[in-house]
Amino acid sequence: MNRPPVELAGAWQFPDPQIMTLDSGMQVWAFDLPGQHIAAMEVVMPTSLASEPRSIEGVATVALHAVDEGTRAHPDGRITELLELQGAALHGGAALTHTRLGGDAPAHRLPAVMGLLAEVLQEPEFAAADIEHHVEMQVAAFDSRIASPGWVAKQALRQAIFGADNREGRPSAGTPQTLNAIERDDVRAWHASHWGGRGATLVLAGDLDGIDLRSVLKPLENWRGHSTPPEFHTPEPRAAQVAVVDMPDTVQATIHAGCLTVGRRHPAWAALKLAGHAMCGGFASRLNLELRERRGYTYGVNGGAAARRNDGQFFVGGSFRVDVAADALTRLLTGLELHRPFDEEEISDARRYLVGIAPLANETASDIVRQAAALAAVDEPASFVNEHFAALERPSAHEVTEAFRRHVRRDSISVAISGPAQVLIPELQAAGLDPVIVS
């Protein structure tokens, strides 16, 4: 049976948006995507969790999830019913550097949907019963997360890297103690102080042929307020540590390791992305081949380099049999020392994957909006995507090796492990590591 040859797709480009600024101060990125009849939208506000009062951390998340329960004009869930009648549903998230709210809807219904979205953004009811409900939901979600070894290890790593006194070192959606302290007035005050058109960006994508954008966006022209981010500072470096969270009933040990690096605008960023994929980002990556294929310690290792607002982070993680966790960690850390340089074949494979996956990763209007919104959240233009793919073509294997060795050093890597401490601690100590138990 003859099979057709498999070849890489041709050159692909991230689309250019039409950019406009509304009277409210909101910037709009509109991507016209012919044939994409389901449009996607996302409002990005530079509202940082670092602005939350520490005693009511989680208020940004509660405000976001309660915002579409009702409006002053359409209370008691009526606004959600109206959105559903237009084929639209809203979703979003509150992250360290920004809050986003968006959704999907038929492109030809955008005039009605945008009016309803503007109402949600500007006039939320925030009924006391709705606030209580979402506080309870977030507390229940926290209780569920702390039963997950993966989440526990990830949170412990954040605390190891940033410290518990830094907002990044604490749970993004708050804890039961801070959540239960949130009252309706706190949520309304947060919305009034941190949600506003000036400083926000609306990313819109879909088949916009024949749509008068100025008319469609008119409901957002009067959105008052100013979404002002706090100043962002590079975190002070902390001593690397191996933190163990005792979860005595788990049958696997979950390991997360990582460190801060340079970010997307550093000359070495493209090389770091290639290095991260070659090291732990793909099935044929070094650490996956060593720990899964050769040793049988895990179902898989994953990780890579990820950009943050002003810097970046390298991370790697996986779940391992408890009896081999210490040896797995030792081999993982040794692998990160990169005694054997990357070769051209490894880097060529990483480049082909990272560039070749782009058309699939940006196939729908929702994909385009998600990528563009991530850039708008950190004050980067949409053109950065194409700049980055072009930059991935340039580094040699030698340059990738040097970038990884310079920016991912063994002495800067912190480790967090969730699992039975009674078993893990002695074995980690026997392996020459100095673990500490954390809460």
Side-chain angles (χ1 to χ4, degrees):
M1 180 178 178
N2 294 327
R3 295 183 179 181
V6 178
E7 299 178 355
L8 285 175
W12 174 86
Q13 292 284 306
F14 195 80
D16 292 322
Q18 175 187 352
I19 299 177
M20 62 183 74
T21 302
L22 305 182
D23 290 344
S24 60
M26 170 185 276
Q27 192 172 80
V28 178
W29 297 4
F31 296 85
D32 185 16
L33 307 176
Q36 294 277 346
H37 298 295
I38 300 299
M41 68 208 79
E42 194 111 329
V43 176
V44 183
M45 294 167 283
T47 298
S48 171
L49 299 185
S51 298
E52 291 181 313
R54 187 159 183 176
S55 61
I56 53 170
E57 286 180 349
V59 66
T61 299
V62 172
L64 173 70
H65 287 282
V67 76
D68 63 342
E69 291 284 3
T71 62
R72 290 198 293 270
H74 298 99
D76 299 326
R78 178 61 178 157
I79 189 69
T80 301
E81 295 174 3
L82 293 175
L83 283 163
E84 289 175 349
L85 287 172
Q86 298 298 331
L90 300 183
H91 53 73
L96 179 78
T97 59
H98 62 279
T99 293
R100 55 183 179 80
L101 177 68
D104 303 281
H108 70 279
R109 294 182 181 270
L110 281 176
V113 170
M114 205 58 65
L116 295 171
L117 175 62
E119 188 177 321
V120 168
L121 290 166
Q122 299 174 68
E123 313 177 352
E125 180 189 18
F126 288 140
D130 292 334
I131 301 306
E132 292 175 9
H133 169 71
H134 282 284
V135 165
E136 291 174 359
M137 291 280 288
Q138 291 303 318
V139 170
F142 180 90
D143 291 340
S144 177
R145 286 192 290 267
I146 61 172
S148 164
W151 185 89
V152 166
K154 185 179 294 186
Q155 181 59 42
L157 179 62
R158 288 176 57 184
Q159 184 171 310
I161 292 176
F162 300 107
D165 289 333
N166 187 303
R167 184 64 182 93
E168 287 192 81
R170 301 192 295 275
S172 59
T175 65
Q177 180 180 2
T178 63
L179 287 164
N180 283 319
I182 295 172
E183 298 181 353
R184 181 192 187 194
D185 286 347
D186 299 318
V187 175
R188 298 179 72 179
W190 177 264
H191 177 270
S193 300
H194 297 282
W195 287 46
R198 187 166 302 279
T201 302
L202 168 66
V203 182
L204 175 66
D207 192 333
L208 305 180
D209 183 45
I211 294 178
D212 182 350
L213 280 179
R214 279 289 179 184
S215 176
V216 167
L217 299 173
K218 190 173 181 180
L220 292 167
E221 293 278 10
N222 297 318
W223 186 18
R224 301 307 173 201
H226 196 168
S227 299
T228 306
E231 293 184 15
F232 290 96
H233 303 284
T234 301
E236 292 292 329
R238 291 168 51 85
Q241 63 173 279
V242 177
V244 176
V245 184
D246 186 22
M247 300 187 76
D249 297 328
T250 56
V251 297
Q252 289 184 311
T254 299
I255 298 176
H256 283 257
C259 64
L260 295 179
T261 68
V262 295
R264 59 168 60 83
R265 284 299 178 180
H266 192 279
W269 180 245
L272 270 180
K273 286 293 289 185
L274 292 166
H277 188 82
M279 178 61 72
C280 55
F283 186 83
S285 63
R286 284 195 178 185
L287 290 178
N288 201 59
L289 287 177
E290 172 65 17
L291 298 173
R292 173 191 162 106
E293 298 301 299
R294 298 191 186 102
R295 303 287 167 182
Y297 286 175
T298 177
Y299 285 117
V301 172
N302 60 79
R308 291 156 33 87
R309 186 180 183 90
N310 295 328
D311 54 16
Q313 185 174 357
F314 171 79
F315 62 96
V316 58
S319 294
F320 303 84
R321 297 189 346 246
V322 172
D323 60 309
V324 299
D327 187 57
L329 177 56
T330 300
R331 292 179 185 277
L332 185 152
L333 293 173
T334 299
L336 295 180
E337 292 176 354
L338 201 57
H339 297 293
R340 176 170 61 86
F342 290 119
D343 59 46
E344 291 295 345
E345 183 178 358
E346 288 177 291
I347 301 311
S348 179
D349 285 345
R351 182 180 292 115
R352 280 196 299 269
Y353 178 84
L354 293 175
V355 174
I357 198 68
L360 294 175
N362 295 278
E363 194 171 18
T364 67
S366 292
D367 296 331
I368 296 295
V369 164
R370 183 168 52 250
Q371 175 65 79
L375 292 170
V378 293
D379 298 326
E380 289 285 359
S383 60
F384 175 82
V385 178
N386 294 327
E387 295 173 28
H388 177 62
F389 286 134
L392 289 173
E393 299 285 357
R394 294 192 282 267
S396 66
H398 173 73
E399 290 169 324
V400 172
T401 298
E402 290 304 303
F404 191 83
R405 286 173 172 169
R406 184 178 306 117
H407 298 292
V408 183
R409 303 183 311 276
R410 167 73 179 266
D411 62 1
S412 69
I413 297 170
S414 284
V415 178
I417 311 173
S418 60
Q422 186 176 5
V423 177
L424 292 171
I425 293 293
E427 294 188 355
L428 292 168
Q429 292 172 334
L433 300 170
D434 185 22
V436 295
I437 296 181
V438 299
S439 171

